[in-house]
Amino acid sequence: MREIEYSEVVKAVKDMIMYSGTDLPQDTYDALKQAMEDEKSPVSKEVIRQILENADIAKDEKRPLCQDTGLAVFFVKVGDQVKIKGGLLKDAINEGTEQGYTEGYLRASTCEPFSRANLKDTVGYNLPAIIHFDLVAGDKIDIEYAAKGGGSENVSRARVFPPAAGKEGIIAYVKEVISDAGGNPCPPITIGVGIGGTFEKATISSKHALFRDIGSVNPDPEMAELEETILNEVNKLGIGAMGMGGTKTALAVHIESNPCHIASLPVSVNVQCHSSRHTHITL
Amino acid sequence: MATYNLTTPLSSEDTKMLKAGDTVFLSGTIFTARDAAHKRLVELIEKGEELPFDLEGSVIYFVGPTPPKPGDPIGSAGPTTSYRMDSYSPTMLKHGSKGMIGKGKRNQEVKDACVAYDGIYFGATGGAGALLGKQIKSAEVIAYPELGPEAVRKLEVEKFPVTVINDTYGNDLYQMGREQYEVKD
């Protein structure tokens, strides 16, 4: 049994949050650069230019990429041969989250659902983090982190279709969700689609799909083809960067598909804004 | 599509000159307010009480900035999604406000109020918080500090880049842009 110090996890999580807050991942940066070249609308082209300039400023001056520094979302794979020394893994992730948001001068956006009161104050508290645990074989802990902002999350949807809906139904549904969203989720976006499983499995899959690098190819050729079809269809909507009209509404569509019940076809769509802040580490 | 440099407060003469799709570099004083602050401001207007700032010709920025780093006036400060302010904006425009800065579409009532009261809805680039924060030269909380990032702030801005989305003639850049680039099968 391998032991990892509680404090090591706290530090790793804090570093991930601070880094993600200011440094746009290279895959996203490259995809935006390509989108700026391909975009036909001059207004949208200028918006993407501002987005890239913003990323340069944020990285160079260590300023938050966006004022909505999101809720902290983690996907954690815990090896069955690893033990945290000195506390619970969940507590360490939450402690690292609080430290990262405080020391990075990131906005705490967590509030009580009805009074809308901030649970502490404007900085230093963004708890609890949203953590999805998975138990796997091995002696490592694998942590994927994303800062999820409100604008893109608010347009996400899930629906359970009858099996007859098939691929055509899924394509039409994603188009409907993105068309209704318009410029609100800060396009150019990445679209995560979770298919199958149960209602909640599809939803979690649609979020996890957003962690895949833009430009990577789905290992399932059938899903790779469906991703390309949906991407083309969405880009025909004309929404463009920040909804100002254009040809590059989405940078990528990522699908995660799961086996499901014979009676159901659950589908979930989760949207990621252009400020795709995420990091992946293994301890 | 034209480019203008304008200084606040804005007059009806200023806003009537603008058309959806125009680029504007705003300078002068603007005020921040989001959901909770709008609720309080509109309650004050309805009760006939004094507001924490002069609404006449004002431009309201829908933003909840990050905390400033030591030595900076403000942190990152990009626009938030505007539809949450749709139920409040017509009242603000009716009582003298001339401009709003946010991102995302507005409802018909807001567009109608822009026509009726010479108001403009400006879009800023969502997520460009570091870039836009740099155009803010000073910031001061003038009301509701207990709301944290949602407090009302008085900002001094210089050449703050925005695009006209809804003008005083009922035009909507989001609809116009989309119609222009939509590919119909």
Side-chain angles (χ1 to χ4, degrees), chain A residues 88-108:
Chain A
L88 292 175
L89 177 58
K90 183 180 160 192
D91 293 343
I93 292 171
N94 275 316
E95 204 171 315
T97 299
E98 181 168 9
Q99 288 185 14
Y101 272 81
T102 313
E103 293 179 32
Y105 293 92
L106 304 177
R107 193 183 82 186

Side-chain angles (χ1 to χ4, degrees), chain A residues 4 8 25 35 43 64 105 109 117 120 147 159 178 205 235 263 265 282:
Chain A
I4 297 178
E8 191 188 333
V43 179
Y105 293 92
S109 305
K120 200 171 177 185
R159 185 167 159 190
I178 304 307
S205 296
N235 281 333
L265 178 58
T282 302

Side-chain angles (χ1 to χ4, degrees), chain A residues 228-247:
Chain A
E228 203 183 319
T229 304
I230 297 175
L231 180 63
N232 287 335
E233 287 299 313
V234 164
N235 281 333
K236 284 185 194 169
L237 290 169
I239 295 168
M242 292 312 302
M244 296 193 187
T247 53

Side-chain angles (χ1 to χ4, degrees), chain B residues 99-148:
Chain B
M100 302 163 280
I101 307 170
K103 69 175 175 83
K105 53 195 165 188
R106 311 305 303 272
N107 68 12
Q108 194 57 46
E109 286 74 25
V110 176
K111 294 184 210 175
D112 290 346
C114 284
V115 175
Y117 308 114
D118 301 336
I120 295 282
Y121 171 51
F122 297 105
T125 299
L131 174 80
L132 294 167
K134 279 180 80 105
Q135 306 310 118
I136 299 169
K137 302 304 166 187
S138 74
E140 179 196 349
V141 173
I142 56 166
Y144 318 138
E146 66 279 11
L147 294 180

